[in-house]
Each structure stands twice: as C-alpha cells, then as structure tokens.
C-alpha cells in the first residue's frame, strides 16, 4: 500500500518493568518516513492480575480445541458452556486492559494521542514491548482503536536493525514455500492455495534439512516472500524461552536466532514478508 504524506506513525515503547511494579513508556508520533515530531515519557502502573487473566482466557480458548493454524475447521464447537467461558474470560481480560490503560500515569500519553491525531487519518501504531506477556495481550481491543478506525496495530522487537533492500527485485513475485513437519496436520490446502496464485514463481521445500534451507535462502536471485507451514514452538511450549522454533521435518528443528544470518542475507536481496502458518507463530 502506498503511504500518503499525511499518514501518521505512532510508536509505543514499553520498556523495563513488571506487572507487579509497572512499566516505563515512551511515546513517539510523527509522519511516516520522517523523524518523530513528538516524543514524551510516561508509565503504566502495576497490574499483577493481568497475567492470570490472560492465562484464564488462554485456557478457555484452548478448551474449544480449535485448530492452532489457519486451516479448515471440520467440526464446529457445540459445547455452549465452553463457548460462554471463553467469551466471558475474553471480555474480563479486555475490560481490565482498558481500565489499566486509563490510569492517571498513562493518561498524559493518551491525551497526547488525542491531541496529535485525527480520527479520520491513517495511522500505523507500532508496539515495542520487552515483556513477552505484553506482546500477547489483545491490544487491538484498546478503546483507542475504537476512536481511530483507520489505525492499524503492529508488534516490533524492542531491538532491531534496519537493512537496506533493493528497490525493485523483479517483475515476478518469487515465493519460497517450506512445508515442514506435518505430523497430525493437513498441509494440502496451504500447498493448493499457493499453487493457485497468479503471476508468481513458486518453489517448494518439503521437509528440508538445515543445509538445504540455508542454501535456498542464500539464492542470489532473492525471494520476495518466505512461507512456512508446519509445527512450531515458542513461549507457549518453551516456558520462558521467547525464541520461536520451526520444525523442518520430524528430526530437525531450527530456532529463529539460528536462521538470523541467512534471513538477513535474504532481506538484503529483497525478502519483504515472512509468513508462519504454524502452531505458535508469534513465538
């Protein structure tokens, strides 16, 4: 999507802290592609009950046994009690989040957003949390996004490096599609949808080992899109481990940090999007 000269960029950096003690906050507001015109500090107070409320919703949602990937759902959930528990726990969590974001220590940040932003403007809101639970909260249910319907939310790592990329790679979109460990999964739909895309150059890697994947990521022609379908792990399955992993096949698992160098090279050659249709995509 082409950016307008009036599009706004909002960055909320949620720094060191904890739910027991609160978090520091830094707000930046500016035009897309330019240095921030506004920057101000703030704080979020303690909210020790939020992790528990999030966990209650997570348990209620998993009880529905919905697919953990984007795929066709064969059986509709019919247990009314489970559906009600999930809905209720979600509403309690969202209400508590909005109450938290309306506290006096955060109010100057919210007031500055209202002062600087037009409700009809296109706004990109980037959230940079250090705490892994903060990354998983339903921020899109914040009252701010009801007031600003053209605002869109994105998550960013607290530490990142911008990589220079070529302006134009080719006229054809090149897609590298990795079909990883499919134990208990049906990846035929993923494969069929990709094969039906018009005007693309598509390459499949089915259950590759690490060396094969790295060799393809280093392809001199470059890729526009990297797609992965299969099993993955992260914060849900690895305790406090916030580094996600993907299962290339039944034997080989690869963490994102282990992929970093090859991915950096792929980005330098034009990689623009990486899609992970997997069990723990955020991790």
């Amino acid at each position: 999507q082409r950016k307008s000269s009036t599009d706004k960029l909002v960055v909320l950096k949620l720094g060191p802290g904890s739910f027991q003690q609160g978090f520091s906050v830094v707000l930046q507001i500016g035009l897309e592609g330019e240095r921030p015109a506004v920057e101000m500090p703030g704080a979020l107070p303690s909210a020790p009950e939020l992790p528990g409320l999030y966990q209650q919703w997570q348990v209620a949602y998993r009880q529905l046994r919905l697919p953990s990937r984007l795929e066709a759902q064969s059986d509709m959930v019919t247990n009314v009690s489970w559906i009600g528990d999930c809905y209720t726990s979600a509403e309690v969590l969202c209400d508590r989040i909005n109450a938290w974001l309306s506290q006096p220590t955060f109010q100057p940040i919210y007031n500055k957003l209202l002062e600087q932003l037009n409700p009809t403007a296109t706004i990109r809101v980037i959230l940079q949390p250090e705490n892994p639970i903060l990354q998983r909260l339903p921020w899109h249910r914040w009252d701010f996004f009801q007031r600003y319907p053209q605002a869109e939310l994105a998550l960013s790592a607290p530490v990142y490096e911008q990589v220079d990329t070529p302006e134009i790679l080719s006229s054809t979109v090149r897609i590298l599609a990795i079909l990883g460990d499919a134990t208990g999964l049906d990846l035929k739909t993923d494969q069929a949808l990709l094969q039906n895309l018009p005007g693309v150059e598509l390459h499949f890697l089915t259950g590759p080992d690490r060396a094969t994947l790295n060799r393809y990521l280093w392809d001199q022609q470059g890729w526009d899109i990297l797609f992965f379908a299969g099993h993955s792990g992260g914060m849900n399955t690895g305790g406090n481990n916030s580094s996600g992993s993907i299962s290339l096949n039944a034997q080989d698992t690869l963490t994102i940090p282990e992929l970093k160098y090859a991915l950096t090279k792929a980005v330098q050659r034009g990689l623009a999007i990486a899609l992970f249709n997997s069990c723990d995509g955020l991790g």
Side-chain angles (χ1 to χ4, degrees):
Q1 181 180 359
R2 182 172 294 176
K3 296 296 182 182
S4 165
S5 60
T6 59
D7 290 349
K8 289 293 185 77
L9 175 63
V10 173
V11 179
L12 275 173
K13 300 181 180 182
L14 306 181
S18 68
F19 285 98
Q20 287 70 34
Q21 298 178 344
F23 297 91
S24 63
V25 181
V26 174
L27 168 69
Q28 293 180 340
I29 304 176
L31 294 175
E32 279 280 6
E34 297 184 8
R35 289 177 59 85
V38 174
E39 180 169 317
M40 67 176 294
L44 278 167
S46 63
E49 71 283 6
L50 267 180
L53 292 175
Y54 168 74
Q55 187 176 27
Q56 288 176 24
W57 168 79
Q58 191 178 49
V59 169
Y61 181 81
R62 287 180 173 174
Q63 195 172 24
L64 300 180
R65 296 184 176 90
L66 297 173
S68 54
R69 303 186 326 114
L70 295 176
E71 58 186 25
Q73 185 176 335
S74 55
D75 299 316
M76 293 296 294
V77 179
T78 56
N79 191 310
V80 176
S81 176
W82 288 355
I83 296 173
D85 289 346
C86 185
Y87 178 82
T88 299
S89 59
E91 289 303 307
V92 170
L93 174 62
C94 293
D95 288 347
R96 184 63 189 91
I97 289 172
N98 276 297
W100 186 44
L101 295 173
S102 63
Q103 293 298 304
T105 57
F106 191 72
Q107 198 62 41
I109 295 281
Y110 192 65
N111 290 342
K112 184 59 68 174
L113 290 170
L114 299 182
E115 172 192 307
Q116 294 287 323
L117 301 175
N118 187 323
T120 62
T122 301
I123 305 164
R124 192 157 62 108
V125 181
I126 297 181
L127 194 71
Q128 290 183 293
E130 293 187 9
N131 183 287
I133 296 179
L134 283 177
Q135 295 176 353
R136 295 164 108 64
L137 294 180
W139 289 91
H140 65 287
R141 293 289 301 273
W142 180 18
D143 288 342
F144 169 83
F145 291 101
Q146 309 305 314
R147 289 193 177 209
Y148 293 85
Q150 300 302 315
E152 184 176 87
L153 175 67
L155 289 173
S156 172
V159 178
Y160 64 91
E161 296 180 16
Q162 183 170 332
V163 180
D164 293 331
T165 59
E167 292 185 4
I168 299 177
L169 185 61
S170 67
S171 58
T172 301
V173 176
R174 302 190 76 226
I175 301 176
L176 177 61
I178 306 163
L179 301 179
D181 180 18
T183 304
L185 301 177
D186 180 8
L187 304 186
K188 294 179 181 178
T189 301
D190 300 68
Q191 189 170 0
L193 289 171
L194 288 168
Q195 289 172 330
N196 288 332
L197 290 174
V200 302
E201 182 182 337
L202 179 63
H203 294 262
F204 280 106
L205 290 179
T206 302
D209 56 27
R210 296 187 182 199
T212 301
L213 175 58
N214 274 296
R215 185 170 69 252
Y216 272 81
L217 286 174
W218 276 72
D219 191 298
Q220 292 292 331
Q221 286 184 266
W223 305 98
D224 297 294
I225 297 174
L226 172 66
F227 176 85
F228 173 82
H231 286 289
S232 69
M235 287 176 281
N236 280 345
T237 55
N240 293 325
N241 177 19
S242 61
S243 296
S245 62
I246 58 175
S247 297
L248 299 178
N249 50 57
Q251 292 79 36
D252 295 325
T253 298
L254 196 59
T255 67
I256 299 302
E258 289 171 334
L259 265 175
K260 181 178 179 181
Y261 192 61
L263 282 175
T264 300
K265 288 296 181 183
V267 169
Q268 291 173 347
R269 294 181 177 132
L271 181 65
I273 302 173
L275 301 171
F276 295 86
N277 188 14
S278 56
C279 309
D280 199 336
L282 180 59

